[in-house]
């Protein structure tokens, strides 16, 4: 996903029927040291519980009059407008969604990406010429200055203290994992400068391996501190929102010839401290067309999507348990209504919209693995001309929207038949088929069919990876 692109999102929450109920109560945020800007033991749960099977939410700059504080020309879109309500989709008002002149999400955005450059405090990074910005390395950044600006950013960009949307932080200057930065020549500067930083602190005869060990340890400590402080302050200031990191957990981190290789999956365990703190996982499941990816037919797209969401579900089950009543971070995979290899085409050339089988792949497979929702990302350029606007509206009205409506009905029927309408079906969540439990219960319920109402919800603080009593 390109930094700085104005995005629009469709958040398919397996959830309730109003925007105020987008995110579920969370009790999985971990206890942290007092060095954080907030005592995370005292954090309140998220907003109202998810009480239905599927709720589509469209968060976009669709034909908006203003984007990022800049006036926009409203496109005269031929043909009928998108009738979101007829598909069960709750849509933000395009005149109030925009981030306005002060950067605030004035319309109660339900899902948004938050980039590292200029939107999330002074994140450290290096320019291509090697110039350090904000210290360059997490080890050298001014944390006090970062938190001061991050607090101001939250206040200006999310001015409503009761903001309850889904926010995925998208930091693309570098990766939190040392090994992944080493795998990309463009990011070697972070390892090289980290080595230079620790070398004077080591004995003169220290070997390259010893330098690497010390540099990696210093990097990991600083990154963990930065990520958790960033999340902690956001969760304190906007406790009803759901906070996560876009593209994480990753399926393979680019390691190995196949998707979700063992080497790549093993790296996710090094970020267990992050998974215990986020409110939602936000992996990427964008699909590629056969125009560019000759091997990516419908079956291959389904296999890759299943591998990615299965990897995330396995992390969730390992850390938080697989019992129907276990409390876990939500899963919001990021997908698109067009194939990613047809984005950014010149004016006059229409992107390729997902085929009917791929629409179902991008929605049903995550739902079957226990996803709370799916965020469908797209560029504002997808509708910035009369031709593109008409094509997108026609596609959503005739194919995409009806498919969403059909899947909503299917998931609600499954919830009613199998989970007492008090949970979502998760047929392929780890352990579901072996145990016969295919439900993930909504807050306040447990049991194989979510038939038991709890007298009171477990009093776990956000972020603590505590398995339910059924898993002990």
């Amino acid at each position: 996903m390109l930094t700085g692109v104005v995005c629009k999102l469709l958040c398919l929450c397996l959830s309730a029927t109003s925007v105020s109920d987008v995110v579920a109560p969370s009790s999985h945020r971990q206890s942290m040291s007092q060095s954080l800007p907030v005592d995370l033991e005292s954090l309140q749960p998220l907003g109202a519980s998810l009480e239905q099977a599927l709720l589509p939410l469209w968060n976009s700059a669709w034909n908006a009059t203003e984007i990022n504080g800049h006036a926009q020309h409203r496109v005269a879109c031929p043909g009928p407008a998108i009738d979101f309500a007829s598909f069960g989709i709750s849509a933000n008002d395009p005149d109030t969604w925009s981030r306005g002149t002060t950067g605030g999400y004035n319309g109660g955005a339900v899902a948004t990406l938050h980039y590292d450059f200029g939107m999330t405090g002074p994140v450290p990074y290096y320019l291509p010429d090697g110039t350090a910005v904000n210290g360059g390395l997490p080890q050298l950044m001014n944390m006090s200055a970062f938190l001061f600006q991050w607090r101001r950013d939250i206040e200006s960009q999310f001015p409503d203290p009761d903001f309850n949307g889904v926010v995925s932080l998208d930091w693309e200057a570098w990766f939190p994992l040392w090994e992944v930065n080493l795998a990309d020549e463009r990011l070697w500067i972070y390892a090289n400068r980290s080595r230079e930083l620790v070398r004077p602190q080591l004995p003169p005869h220290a070997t390259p391996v010893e330098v690497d060990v010390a540099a990696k340890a210093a990097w990991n400590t600083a990154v963990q501190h930065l990520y958790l402080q960033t999340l902690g302050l956001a969760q304190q200031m906007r406790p009803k929102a759901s906070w996560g990191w876009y593209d994480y957990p990753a399926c393979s981190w680019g390691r190995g010839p196949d998707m979700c290789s063992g080497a790549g999956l093993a790296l996710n365990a090094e970020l267990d401290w992050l998974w215990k703190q986020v409110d939602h996982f936000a992996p990427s499941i964008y699909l590629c067309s056969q125009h560019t990816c000759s091997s990516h037919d419908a079956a291959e797209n389904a296999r890759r999507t299943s591998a990615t969401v299965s990897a995330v579900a396995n992390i969730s089950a390992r850390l938080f348990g697989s019992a129907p009543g276990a409390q876990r971070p939500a899963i919001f995979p990021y997908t698109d209504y067009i194939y990613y290899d047809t984005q950014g085409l010149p004016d006059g050339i229409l992107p390729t919209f997902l085929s009917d089988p791929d629409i179902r792949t991008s929605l049903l497979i995550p739902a079957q693995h226990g996803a709370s929702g799916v965020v469908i990302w797209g560029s504002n350029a997808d509708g910035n001309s009369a031709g593109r606007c008409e094509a997108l509206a026609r596609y959503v009205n005739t194919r995409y929207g009806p498919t969403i409506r059909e899947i909503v009905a299917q998931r609600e029927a499954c919830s009613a038949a199998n989970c007492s309408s008090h949970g979502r079906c998760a047929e392929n969540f780890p352990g579901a088929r072996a145990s016969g439990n295919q439900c993930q219960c909504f807050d306040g319920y447990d049991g194989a069919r979510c038939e038991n109402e709890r007298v009171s919800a477990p009093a776990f603080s956000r972020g603590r990876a505590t398995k339910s009593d059924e898993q002990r």
Side-chain angles (χ1 to χ4, degrees), residues 277-342:
Q277 187 60 33
V278 296
D279 297 315
H280 66 267
F281 300 126
S284 171
I285 56 169
Y286 298 115
L287 302 181
C288 187
S289 73
Q290 288 184 278
H291 297 297
T292 301
C293 310
S294 58
S295 64
H296 285 212
D297 56 14
E300 177 66 6
N301 278 336
R303 187 188 74 82
R304 287 173 173 263
T305 300
S306 181
T308 299
V309 294
S310 177
V312 176
N314 284 330
I315 292 172
S316 182
R318 174 172 60 83
L319 292 176
F320 303 96
S322 59
Q327 297 189 4
R328 315 172 184 88
I331 300 175
F332 288 98
Y334 274 66
T335 185
D336 201 337
Y337 44 78
I338 65 176
Y339 294 101
Y340 71 79
D341 56 309
T342 69

Side-chain angles (χ1 to χ4, degrees), residues 248-259:
Y248 300 156
C251 186
S252 63
W253 296 98
R255 302 172 72 88
D258 197 16
M259 290 289 291

Side-chain angles (χ1 to χ4, degrees), residues 32-33 35-37 138 141 143 146-147 219-231 273:
M32 300 302 302
S33 70
S35 63
L36 284 176
M141 68 181 294
M143 185 62 70
F146 172 84
L147 292 175
W219 169 270
N220 287 346
T221 298
V223 167
Q224 180 174 346
H225 190 60
L226 171 58
Y227 270 53
L228 294 183
Q229 292 229 12
T230 301
L231 279 172
W273 52 267

Side-chain angles (χ1 to χ4, degrees), residues 112-174:
T112 183
L113 273 173
H114 216 58
Y115 297 102
D116 45 358
F117 298 110
M119 295 179 71
T120 318
V123 177
Y125 65 97
Y126 286 98
L127 296 174
D129 64 3
T131 301
V133 179
N134 303 320
L137 295 174
Q139 303 95 300
L140 297 175
M141 68 181 294
N142 185 328
M143 185 62 70
S144 296
F146 172 84
L147 292 175
F148 176 80
Q149 184 59 48
W150 179 216
R151 179 181 292 274
R152 295 183 63 180
D153 291 344
I154 293 171
E155 291 172 343
S156 65
Q157 295 162 13
F158 305 97
D160 183 0
D162 292 324
F163 173 77
N164 64 346
V166 176
V167 186
S168 297
L169 304 178
D170 185 12
W171 290 7
E172 300 188 7
W174 40 263

Side-chain angles (χ1 to χ4, degrees), residues 74-110:
R74 173 161 278 174
V75 174
C77 191
I82 297 176
D83 186 0
F84 293 102
S86 70
F87 307 123
I89 300 172
S90 297
N92 289 317
D93 186 335
D95 292 321
T96 58
W97 173 89
S98 65
R99 293 201 304 115
T101 55
T102 61
Y105 288 92
N106 303 317
V110 296

